[in-house]
Amino acid sequence: MESPFPEPISPSKTRIGWIGIGVMGAAMASRLLSAGYFITIYARSPSKALPLQSKGAQLVDSPYKVAKCSDVVFTMVGHPSDVRSVVLDTDHGILAGLNPGGVIVDTTTSSPAQAREIFQAAKAKGCHSIDSPVSGGDLGARDGKLAIFAGGDEVVVNWLSPLYEVLGKVTYMGKAGCGQSCKIANQIVVGANLLGLSEGLVFAEKAGLDERRFLNAVRAGAAGSTVMELFGGRMIDRDFKAGGFAEYMVKDMGMGVDVVEESEDERVPVLPGAALGKQLFSGMVANGDGKLGTQALITVIERLNGK
């Protein structure tokens, strides 16, 4: 299929917009700046933009203005409602300002149904929308090793590949919404791994084992995982700084177990493990720990064991 774009992406010609500069978004935008791309950013708290501005980013005061001067606009915000606000607001949103042929790339973990809605809204304006949430946490964002799940038109995903290569490895998952569905499934797996790792460490401590020796013993076997490598040491060190907020796992896993979208009842599976995981992360939020990193799930298991 021929590309709908007149020329390939390059740092000298392609103007990038970025909305959402929290832990993940700032690290991803920083990598694109380091690769030579000119980036226009919007931040609800302008002071948070200073590190990116020091690297050459331009700050404007609305998503509309970001879109107006960009060819590709990335979003990395918190919730589906945030995505809807920054993309679809008729006065100040991205689509209101995006020029025909422009591309929206939503890296937020959001709703598959909303991704399809945005895809159609962009198409009606002669633009493109790709849902491409990411996995890999703050370290993956910093090091350009994110797993990226893309949904939408494959030809657009292929055109975006020079940008994706700076951020990590992209896999095309299918039509609009499929990137988001893949990320929800990813979070179900991650949540189960975090729970297993938390319980394993709590058991090891109760049994009198040295926790680091335990991790070193099992990491090369079937129990080993990327979750263990990313978070095992942090759990032991009580380093609960957020790469991804625990409260976001409630949202992400909830989209897998709670939501029946668009009369697709027959496509919603029964997921008892994910339902339990969501409740445990909800317990963190109830304890006031929603802004801690997901690795702090171990504190819930410790509380259940009287620690």
Side-chain angles (χ1 to χ4, degrees):
M1 185 183 296
E2 280 191 23
S3 171
F5 305 100
E7 56 188 27
I9 285 176
S10 71
S12 62
K13 296 179 180 179
T14 309
R15 303 169 302 167
I16 307 299
W18 199 284
I19 297 170
I21 53 171
V23 174
M24 295 290 291
M28 294 164 73
S30 181
R31 287 194 60 83
L32 291 173
L33 283 166
S34 297
Y37 289 94
F38 179 76
I39 298 186
T40 301
I41 58 177
Y42 164 73
R44 287 182 294 187
S45 302
S47 62
K48 292 184 178 180
L50 290 174
L52 293 175
Q53 286 179 282
S54 71
K55 296 180 180 181
Q58 169 183 262
L59 178 66
V60 295
D61 62 7
S62 73
Y64 174 93
K65 290 182 180 178
V66 170
K68 205 67 181 172
C69 57
S70 301
D71 303 305
V72 180
V73 181
F74 285 83
T75 54
M76 172 56 95
V77 293
H79 296 272
S81 59
D82 298 317
V83 176
R84 176 173 293 277
S85 175
V86 301
V87 174
L88 296 177
D89 185 280
T90 55
D91 295 319
H92 305 291
I94 295 170
L95 265 183
L98 197 62
N99 297 311
V103 182
I104 300 167
V105 182
D106 183 24
T107 64
T108 313
T109 303
S110 188
S111 157
Q114 183 168 275
R116 292 188 286 270
E117 179 186 354
I118 291 172
F119 176 88
Q120 292 298 334
K123 185 176 180 180
K125 193 180 175 181
C127 298
H128 309 275
S129 177
I130 302 296
D131 52 291
S132 60
V134 302
S135 180
D138 54 332
L139 297 182
R142 183 195 69 190
D143 297 337
K145 294 182 178 179
L146 293 170
I148 306 168
F149 319 118
D153 288 336
E154 186 172 11
V155 65
V156 180
V157 173
N158 291 338
W159 181 74
L160 291 166
S161 60
L163 299 174
Y164 284 134
E165 287 167 5
V166 176
L167 304 175
K169 180 181 178 182
V170 65
T171 301
Y172 177 67
M173 299 308 303
K175 64 185 180 180
C178 287
Q180 295 296 353
S181 292
C182 183
K183 178 59 187 292
I184 292 168
N186 175 87
Q187 295 300 80
I188 291 168
V189 175
V190 170
N193 272 265
L194 284 165
L195 175 56
L197 179 58
S198 298
E199 292 189 343
L201 283 169
V202 168
F203 177 85
E205 183 189 28
K206 289 279 188 181
L209 300 179
D210 179 276
E211 292 167 281
R212 293 188 192 281
R213 189 172 295 178
F214 159 69
L215 285 187
N216 287 332
V218 304
R219 67 178 6 123
S225 68
T226 300
V227 165
M228 181 177 287
E229 297 306 315
L230 287 172
F231 300 120
R234 296 191 199 186
M235 287 180 174
I236 294 171
D237 293 336
R238 318 303 289 176
D239 175 7
F240 299 142
K241 181 180 178 182
F245 293 129
E247 67 182 14
Y248 287 171
M249 286 295 285
V250 179
K251 169 202 64 163
D252 297 350
M253 299 180 84
M255 286 190 286
V257 301
D258 294 342
V259 180
V260 178
E261 294 179 346
E262 302 175 344
S263 301
E264 293 179 351
D265 306 56
E266 72 281 359
R267 293 173 56 182
V268 179
V270 176
L271 304 171
L276 173 60
K278 183 202 167 194
Q279 288 302 313
L280 292 171
F281 281 107
S282 295
M284 287 186 64
V285 174
N287 288 327
D289 295 336
K291 297 294 185 184
L292 297 181
T294 55
Q295 68 272 24
L297 181 64
I298 192 171
T299 63
V300 177
I301 306 304
E302 289 170 343
R303 283 190 176 98
L304 291 172
N305 283 275
K307 185 173 178 178

